[in-house]
Amino acid sequence: MFNAIMIEKDEAGQTVGLQSVEESALPDGDVLVDVDYSTINYKDALAITNSAPIVRSYPLVPGIDFAGTVSSSNHADYKAGDKVILNGWGVGEQYWGGLAQKAKVNGDFLVPLPSGFTTRQAMAIGTAGYTAMLCVLALEDHGVTPDKGEIVVTGASGGVGSVAIATLGKLGYKVVAVTGKPDESQYLLDLGAAEILDRATLSEPGRPLAKERWAGAVDTVGSHILANICASTKYNGVVTACGLAAGMDLPLTVMPFILRGVCLQGVESVVCPKERRVLAWNRLAADLDAEKLSSMVNEIGLSEVIDAAPKLMNGTLRGRYMVDVNR
Ligand code: NDP
């Protein structure tokens, strides 16, 4: 038997609870993993609180990511004792996920834990931090180097935002953090932000074009904030868009693109090819300061997950929520 958060559905609707589950109930997969840590990402909070149609198959163990140790494997790339990370591929949406003590998965979904990293550090980063690194890689691919100017990061105190700030700061970029939590200014400055901008200054509908300021952006929120950032991005600047914490709409005009050559680069983490994933995880191991990572992590046990999910949804939490599934 092992402990798992389980989402079920009957005529009355969706229910969620902490359950003891028979190992024989695990779905098919060629690698069995003893999970050490999982996390609560925004998508997990949506699934647990039933706020969006994330769950595609019932019953389901949520948790879009985990890190742990292979206990048995029929996959050529893995053997018992290997340390592994999993994120995305529909795990925690269509397939049973990481908010459990055990997971049985398709070995093709796994990534080896980078050397020098612990499973705890990997999940302190989680899907949110890995997505932040995908945004950083996209900025680099488009030639946005630190000398090009300021990088704006929205949803700054959240999981993606916190890791983006710490990584970009370490790489020498001047980072401006956009937050709705003025009380977290010192936290964001300590992570590596050079300046704090009140989210309210970007939340209202703005002009098609505004004064040029940003060389690049990591946007985690969408809606008017993303539109206003595009409108104030410098000639040939690059805006990476990965999230929708403010809304899935994007009320902007073509003006930033046709008059300033602005590039709006979408960033997707779930089915991102394996080569890119391995690169992102290895770059996180190299470019994310371990001390800064610890400052953004809150650790909870599996039994606390259901209470934490609504708090993540209403944007009041700070940083990353890592889950020790064995307590
Ligand atoms: P968090 O909940 O940790 O952080 C989101 C942050 O957004 C909050 O901390 C808050 O930061 C800000 N925020 C919250 N509500 C609003 C609002 N109404 N308007 C403006 N800003 C708001 O989430 P994550 O960082 O884990 O994820 C961020 C986004 O990225 C989510 O939408 C998530 O779904 C998406 N995502 C996408 C992925 C992909 O593959 N494309 C992968 C991972 C995440 P502050 O108070 O500092 O402003």
Side-chain angles (χ1 to χ4, degrees):
M1 301 293 283
F2 65 95
N3 293 332
I5 303 290
M6 191 65 77
I7 301 179
E8 294 172 303
K9 192 176 189 180
D10 58 22
E11 303 80 54
Q14 182 174 302
T15 57
V16 60
L18 178 62
Q19 292 186 12
S20 187
V21 181
E22 294 267 5
E23 195 172 314
S24 59
L26 281 164
D28 286 346
D30 52 9
V31 182
L32 180 64
V33 180
D34 287 328
V35 178
D36 294 331
Y37 293 96
S38 183
T39 76
I40 314 181
N41 288 280
Y42 193 80
K43 200 183 255 180
D44 302 317
L46 287 171
I48 291 167
T49 58
N50 198 14
S51 306
I54 302 295
V55 180
R56 282 182 273 148
S57 162
Y58 294 91
L60 183 98
V61 174
I64 63 169
D65 49 22
F66 64 76
T69 308
V70 172
S71 71
S72 66
S73 167
N74 292 319
H75 190 282
D77 295 349
Y78 299 98
K79 59 179 185 328
D82 287 347
K83 302 281 183 194
V84 290
I85 303 174
L86 186 145
N87 64 284
W89 298 119
V91 169
E93 301 179 62
Q94 179 180 350
Y95 308 112
W96 284 21
L99 287 166
Q101 291 176 301
K102 288 185 185 291
K104 205 176 203 183
V105 294
N106 179 344
D108 292 342
F109 295 170
L110 296 166
V111 170
L113 185 74
S115 59
F117 242 10
T118 62
T119 50
R120 189 177 187 280
Q121 283 171 315
M123 282 303 103
I125 294 168
T127 299
Y130 146 84
T131 303
M133 180 50 85
L134 293 179
C135 293
V136 173
L137 292 174
L139 292 174
E140 291 179 348
D141 288 348
H142 286 285
V144 181
T145 44
D147 57 299
K148 295 275 168 61
E150 294 171 306
I151 309 294
V152 62
V153 175
T154 64
S157 71
V160 178
S162 294
V163 176
I165 291 167
T167 311
L168 288 164
K170 185 170 177 198
L171 290 168
Y173 291 90
K174 186 174 179 201
V175 181
V176 176
V178 177
T179 186
K181 302 186 192 85
D183 292 353
E184 298 295 356
S185 295
Q186 194 54 52
Y187 162 74
L188 297 169
L189 293 169
D190 290 344
L191 281 183
E195 190 182 324
I196 310 297
L197 205 56
D198 184 344
R199 183 209 284 171
T201 61
L202 291 169
S203 298
E204 298 302 321
R207 297 198 304 270
L209 283 176
K211 188 165 181 277
E212 291 179 60
R213 177 160 186 192
W214 317 116
V218 174
D219 179 67
T220 72
V221 301
S223 196
H224 291 298
I225 295 178
L226 175 55
N228 287 326
I229 281 172
C230 289
S232 53
T233 295
K234 293 208 281 193
Y235 191 84
N236 274 350
V238 180
V239 177
T240 61
C242 72
L244 43 54
M248 66 165 81
D249 58 324
L250 183 51
L252 87 176
T253 74
V254 297
M255 299 306 256
F257 311 115
I258 65 173
L259 293 184
R260 291 186 182 157
V262 167
C263 170
L264 179 56
Q265 174 68 58
V267 171
E268 194 285 331
S269 71
V270 178
V271 295
C272 174
K274 185 160 182 180
E275 200 180 316
R276 188 82 165 168
R277 285 168 189 269
V278 172
L279 172 65
W281 280 107
N282 284 314
R283 281 288 304 272
L284 284 159
D287 295 331
L288 180 58
D289 190 273
E291 216 167 285
K292 294 208 160 104
L293 179 60
S294 353
S295 77
M296 62 179 91
V297 176
N298 310 279
E299 183 179 326
I300 60 173
L302 199 57
S303 58
E304 296 165 277
V305 164
I306 294 170
D307 285 344
K311 295 181 197 150
L312 195 98
M313 284 296 307
N314 66 25
T316 53
L317 298 182
R318 175 183 105 176
R320 297 275 307 121
Y321 265 71
M322 182 177 64
V323 181
D324 178 349
V325 298
N326 294 304
R327 71 173 174 87

